[in-house]
Amino acid sequence: MNQYYDVNQHKIDFNPENLIKYLGGGNVQITRITSGQSNPTYCVEHKGIKMALRKPPSGNKLPSAHAIDREYRVMSALADGEVPVPKMLYFEANSDVLGSPFMMMEWLDGDVVADSDLPTFKPSARTKVYENSAKVLAALHNVDWQSVGLGKFGRSEFFFKRHVERWARQWKLSKTREDKNIEELIIWLGDNIPKEAHTSIVHGDFRIGNLMLAKGSSSIIGVLDWELSTIGCPMSDLAHFCCFWDLTGEQLGGLAGIDIQSLGIPSRQNFIRSYRAFGGVDLPLLPFHRAFALFRLAIIFEGIAARNKTGQASGKEAESVGALSAACASLAINVLSENSI
């Protein structure tokens, strides 16, 4: 089997010659962006233009995972609106070109900071990043999803019921171990689904690490990584963002155990107030929502652990990230025990 490499001699899972033909010839430079556990991303330089290429990882994937077509569709729909996204350039559904469907979009020249404590920022800048995050999330949840062409992007009814069932199925397909907390969560969440009073576009993984910041600034110039996006309850996005106050710095760059006040980072409650002040959906963030968000993270991390075992995980940190599954399930149980936000 042929092996292919980028300009830095990092292994890539497609033949660069096929991409050159697709782009109409000429010199093409490919650099793999190695961070992240979602769809692998590459910087492609062609005829003096930089683009970002995203495609699913090679190997077997769980049903509905790595939905590159959904990323392209939702970002195309959001173009020129209040939610900053890169400009979409190409979508290719034919797997014969690069071995799987792929998309290409404009290259944004900014910074992505993986850790929620924004370690290189001053306190005032951190405060502003969190304010801007709340503002963008509120703007996303106020987009008229039907008028921008997303009327058939996802089923609007029974969001949490369907997603508890979906992630329970994913657990059964990907689990590498037994976990009584996850089994307990599947039952409790299924029995305690709250009434859903609002429907919006849901990003699915809205967090500091998926926001592109302008260089040297607190301004958000792009919301990235939309593979989990759908139509559903906006509280799922808010709860996901709020998970990072439960996670430690070693757990996906979270905030637990950090003196956030001295760093200029708001408390979870103050972030929620900011989101609502910017026009976000005024619904209570329930223990259910927080437990569901952590439960879902646990299943996602278990999937990474499963892919790591077969050598398919897309980042070097796959083994340590996969180990977070049990920790997130335990945190979800703690949320329900505390019964408060």
Side-chain angles (χ1 to χ4, degrees), residues 170-227:
Q170 300 285 57
W171 166 250
K172 290 177 173 59
L173 289 169
S174 65
K175 70 177 182 177
T176 63
R177 59 192 176 80
E178 298 300 322
D179 191 318
K180 66 178 184 179
N181 286 333
I182 289 180
E183 301 296 343
E184 183 178 334
L185 286 164
I186 290 171
I187 295 171
W188 189 94
L189 292 169
D191 289 342
N192 291 275
I193 293 171
K195 182 179 178 181
E196 295 167 23
H198 191 93
T199 299
S200 72
I201 300 173
V202 171
H203 178 276
D205 192 12
F206 191 88
R207 57 187 170 91
I208 292 294
N210 278 333
L211 304 177
M212 176 75 75
L213 304 175
K215 286 188 175 296
S217 170
S218 301
S219 299
I220 298 169
I221 61 173
V223 181
L224 310 175
D225 197 355
W226 292 80
E227 68 178 83

Side-chain angles (χ1 to χ4, degrees), residues 50-101:
K50 272 189 176 184
M51 298 171 283
L53 182 152
R54 276 172 68 82
K55 65 187 293 294
S58 58
N60 296 326
K61 294 172 281 293
L62 292 171
S64 74
H66 307 285
I68 207 75
D69 56 325
R70 296 182 67 80
E71 288 201 74
Y72 188 87
R73 185 177 172 191
V74 71
M75 284 190 280
S76 296
L78 292 171
D80 302 319
E82 293 186 30
V83 180
V85 291
K87 180 181 178 181
M88 299 295 102
L89 301 174
Y90 308 105
F91 173 72
E92 180 54 63
N94 187 351
S95 296
D96 292 341
V97 181
L98 298 185
S100 66

Side-chain angles (χ1 to χ4, degrees), residues 24-59:
N27 183 47
V28 172
Q29 286 192 316
I30 301 170
T31 306
R32 175 158 183 168
I33 310 302
T34 56
S35 63
Q37 288 299 328
S38 57
N39 291 317
T41 304
Y42 305 84
C43 176
V44 175
E45 295 188 57
H46 179 243
K47 296 182 179 180
I49 299 174
K50 272 189 176 184
M51 298 171 283
L53 182 152
R54 276 172 68 82
K55 65 187 293 294
S58 58

Side-chain angles (χ1 to χ4, degrees), residues 237-246 268 271-272 285 290:
D237 269 344
L238 185 59
H240 179 74
F241 194 93
C242 288
C243 282
F244 290 84
W245 277 269
D246 295 307
R268 175 166 40 222
F271 178 82
I272 294 169
L285 186 69
R290 287 181 56 207

Side-chain angles (χ1 to χ4, degrees), residues 232-259:
C233 179
M235 291 300 100
S236 62
D237 269 344
L238 185 59
H240 179 74
F241 194 93
C242 288
C243 282
F244 290 84
W245 277 269
D246 295 307
L247 299 166
T248 68
E250 290 72 37
Q251 297 171 327
L252 211 65
L255 298 169
I258 296 174
D259 182 4

